Amino acid sequence: MDKLQGGFDAGWRVNIPAGSLELKTADHLVLAVDAAFPNSQPRIFAPAAGSDYIWPHVEPAGLLCLRSSRNSAPIADRVQTHLRDAEELLNFPEPKRREEFEREFTAYWSHRATNSADQARVWSLVTPGGVTREVAYFFDAKSNRYVIADDKDALKRWLRNTGANPGDKQIYPTWLFRLSQPWTPREFPETGDEITKLLPQDIVRKCLEPGLLSPFLFEVDTKTGTAFAAVVLRGAERRDVMKGFRHMSKVPAAHIVGSYAKRPVERCKVARVDGAWVHGRDHPSSYASVKNRKVAIVGCGAIGAAVARLLAQAGVGEQIFVDADSLSTANVSRHPLGMFHVSLNKASALKEHLRREFPHLTFEHAFRNRVEWLSSKDLDQLASADLIISAGIDFDGEAALDHWRRRLARPPAHLSTWTEAYAAAGHAVLLYGQASILAGFDGEERPNFRLTDWPDESGALIVEAGCGNSFQPHGVIDLHPTVGMAAGLALDTLLDKVPASCRRVWMGDPAVVEANGGILRETFTDQLTVREFVWP
């Protein structure tokens, strides 16, 4: 058998005694390989299993979804393993078949979606683990997508962060059904009456609007976690439903329900965009502990912006940004913000960028000033943070922040981070209470614990032609060990894993320092290593 359908190059028929399997109609299998074999998997087809989901783990054309075998194993052993696994699968008794369908409910729902090519017709912000209840939705015409949330306020907040700003009249109520057990493919709803019969009478008029498509969400627990599915119902046109009635309010609810009865439902894939899924796929993660934490980033340059993004990815609930500078073309190669943001204030641009990337988090405040010029009202926002991170700012800014913070009755924790020349060494100092960053600096405003010295600053700073600005000569890859170290210390702080003030140090490659005219201090004792020390 040559050039099988589906890209397989060769196949062999394997006859089976009639009635010998639980799948009674199966009388043969097909073993197929492609041109990459043995560096690919042999595949087994069971044509009698079809593609109508009468049997679990069967893909279109009867292709069986089986465990992979090791490419290094003998070919005969691999083939026998796949045939044995196929026999085991096709001998599943009915309870086992149902168990497998239920366990992979989401996969089968996606396979049988009305348009299986859609990535997701519905996005769910709904908090998992609730009960059957009313929820709210918005239809995004640009993406042809429904967004569903627990309530109107949560939905509007998320949409605003994405750049949309719908009015109240564009947000509609709908219903979330909590299923007692997952459906099997044979139980998937086909027509509107299978959904409408489940609706409470008092919700019918709110959720079924003739002339509009009506989405409904389903939540169910499976052995592998919470699963969501959705359908969209289409009823008769408004004018047809109103025939014989002067106003829609006079149309009996039963008449409205009947307009959906035998119309086919659209089964839709659901993409979860709630925080518990985005930051951990419902498994234990730091998100549960940091989703209600607030961080202020003072200095939104290459280090500060990169740390801010990592904290957003970790699920930190709210961030505040402070920076007076704008992004220049020279910053683009090292900064998380790209050319699109050139000439924009770094704090404001970072806020807008992250709120669109992570719309379930909060990014409400960006102050376009140096920290020492902030108003009392602005400083009150910083004082409300759980952690203030100063990233790569100058000594004047550090000193002003230090003096202000230590005057507070309950000062937030302060993490200061920066790199030395060529980013060959990096520092992250964490301070609690009245501990002062200035205690670690000498009379020349340099840290006592620095790891390198640069005679006459030779090689440590490069002055730009024509403008007098200077910069440290390193690339974005050089920065990342320090960024990761600082973000890690910040997250540990928010998770209450660091009991006392401390400092972490990145010791990079000593050869980089020496090759560029720097001098290694005795404290530069390791390479490519993070070390932690007590403070001061």
Side-chain angles (χ1 to χ4, degrees):
M1 190 180 299
D2 296 322
K3 293 296 181 184
L4 294 173
Q5 187 177 11
F8 295 97
D9 289 81
W12 297 264
R13 180 184 175 112
V14 181
N15 290 322
I16 300 170
S20 63
L21 296 175
E22 187 71 21
L23 179 62
K24 303 300 183 183
T25 55
D27 63 355
H28 74 281
L29 303 176
V30 174
L31 166 67
V33 296
D34 60 21
F37 187 78
N39 296 315
S40 61
Q41 297 295 317
R43 308 306 296 270
I44 307 293
F45 290 81
S51 57
D52 58 354
Y53 302 98
I54 63 171
W55 212 267
H57 308 301
V58 180
E59 298 179 5
L63 175 62
L64 304 185
C65 183
L66 303 173
R67 295 174 297 178
S68 297
S69 57
R70 290 184 293 108
N71 289 5
S72 59
I75 290 175
D77 291 349
R78 296 180 67 193
V79 170
Q80 288 179 3
T81 296
H82 283 256
L83 288 172
R84 281 196 302 268
D85 288 350
E87 180 183 15
E88 179 184 353
L89 171 60
L90 297 177
N91 268 320
F92 281 174
E94 195 282 330
K96 177 65 172 176
R97 297 198 295 271
R98 181 172 190 99
E99 177 185 337
E100 291 299 295
F101 276 132
E102 290 184 356
R103 186 171 65 87
E104 299 190 9
F105 167 74
T106 302
Y108 291 108
W109 184 268
S110 296
H111 288 320
R112 292 206 60 203
T114 302
N115 185 353
S116 59
D118 281 346
Q119 291 300 308
R121 180 94 150 97
V122 174
W123 280 17
S124 171
L125 277 166
V126 168
T127 304
V131 297
T132 295
R133 64 195 186 277
E134 182 179 325
V135 290
Y137 81 90
F138 168 75
F139 178 66
D140 184 347
K142 289 183 179 179
S143 60
N144 193 33
R145 178 185 298 132
Y146 295 89
V147 184
I148 304 179
D150 290 306
D151 54 54
K152 181 184 292 188
D153 290 341
L155 181 56
K156 290 178 71 173
R157 184 166 56 250
W158 190 91
L159 290 168
R160 277 200 308 272
N161 284 347
T162 66
N165 191 26
D168 285 347
K169 292 183 178 180
Q170 295 172 280
I171 294 178
Y172 301 92
T174 188
W175 200 247
L176 179 148
F177 298 95
R178 179 80 183 187
L179 303 180
S180 59
Q181 67 180 39
W183 290 313
T184 67
R186 290 297 181 90
E187 297 166 340
F188 290 172
E190 300 283 349
T191 56
D193 56 351
E194 296 177 69
I195 306 301
T196 58
K197 69 182 181 183
L198 303 174
L199 285 172
Q201 286 301 306
D202 60 348
I203 203 72
V204 166
R205 289 188 178 276
K206 296 178 70 174
C207 294
L208 296 178
E209 180 67 30
L212 291 179
L213 298 178
S214 302
F216 293 93
L217 194 64
F218 301 88
E219 180 183 356
V220 66
D221 289 331
T222 73
K223 288 188 175 181
T224 54
T226 301
F228 285 88
V231 298
V232 174
L233 303 188
R234 180 188 293 275
E237 293 299 323
R238 187 179 179 88
R239 62 177 179 275
D240 295 329
V241 176
M242 286 184 61
K243 283 182 179 178
F245 300 94
R246 286 185 292 178
H247 192 273
M248 182 58 73
S249 63
K250 303 297 183 181
V251 179
H255 189 61
I256 296 174
V257 169
S259 71
Y260 291 86
K262 298 306 176 185
R263 294 174 180 267
V265 304
E266 179 186 354
R267 289 186 294 272
C268 303
K269 299 177 185 178
V270 175
R272 285 182 57 183
V273 292
D274 59 285
W277 183 257
V278 171
H279 299 288
R281 304 190 187 191
D282 275 348
H283 289 274
S285 71
S286 61
Y287 173 68
S289 299
V290 301
K291 65 181 180 180
N292 296 317
R293 296 287 201 145
K294 183 189 294 188
V295 173
I297 305 287
V298 179
C300 300
I303 296 177
V307 168
R309 182 177 181 86
L310 287 175
L311 295 181
Q313 288 176 292
V316 171
E318 182 174 357
Q319 291 192 60
I320 300 168
F321 305 111
V322 180
D323 201 307
D325 293 336
S326 298
L327 190 71
S328 71
T329 55
N331 298 145
V332 168
S333 68
R334 299 198 301 203
H335 203 281
L337 298 177
M339 195 67 71
F340 177 80
H341 297 93
V342 166
S343 298
L344 300 179
N345 173 262
K346 291 177 182 177
S348 296
L350 184 61
K351 181 193 79 169
E352 293 303 319
H353 177 70
L354 289 180
R355 75 190 300 181
R356 288 175 184 253
E357 293 285 305
F358 304 95
H360 59 288
L361 303 177
T362 300
F363 306 96
E364 292 294 333
H365 300 286
F367 302 120
R368 303 157 58 106
N369 257 327
R370 291 176 60 89
V371 66
E372 54 265 46
W373 299 339
L374 293 179
S375 69
S376 297
K377 184 178 179 181
D378 297 342
L379 289 170
D380 286 343
Q381 284 294 333
L382 266 64
S384 69
D386 298 289
L387 174 66
I388 299 173
I389 300 175
S390 56
I393 67 175
D394 58 26
F395 184 83
D396 289 349
E398 288 282 12
L401 180 60
D402 186 79
H403 286 305
W404 164 78
R405 187 187 72 87
R406 292 194 300 120
R407 288 198 303 268
L408 298 174
R410 299 182 63 183
H414 175 208
L415 191 158
S416 178
T417 182
W418 69 94
T419 63
E420 298 188 31
Y422 292 91
H427 302 271
V429 177
L430 173 66
L431 305 168
Y432 290 123
Q434 297 300 315
S436 170
I437 186 68
L438 303 184
F441 282 71
D442 62 22
E444 296 182 358
E445 300 180 353
R446 297 182 301 176
N448 293 318
F449 46 84
R450 63 188 182 277
L451 301 182
T452 63
D453 286 311
W454 299 85
D456 302 321
E457 298 298 330
S458 174
L461 292 173
I462 294 178
V463 178
E464 295 179 6
C467 66
N469 288 336
S470 59
F471 64 94
Q472 288 193 355
H474 55 249
V476 65
I477 303 300
D478 304 315
L479 283 178
H480 271 250
T482 299
V483 169
M485 176 183 67
L489 181 54
L491 192 61
D492 285 348
T493 304
L494 297 172
L495 294 173
D496 299 322
K497 292 182 177 181
V498 187
S501 299
C502 68
R503 65 182 176 91
R504 291 183 185 174
V505 178
W506 160 252
M507 300 181 188
D509 187 352
V512 171
V513 178
E514 294 173 328
N516 288 284
I519 299 172
L520 298 170
R521 290 190 149 205
E522 292 181 357
T523 48
F524 204 136
T525 56
D526 295 296
Q527 61 180 0
L528 307 180
T529 301
V530 173
R531 298 280 304 278
E532 183 171 314
F533 301 92
V534 298
W535 179 263

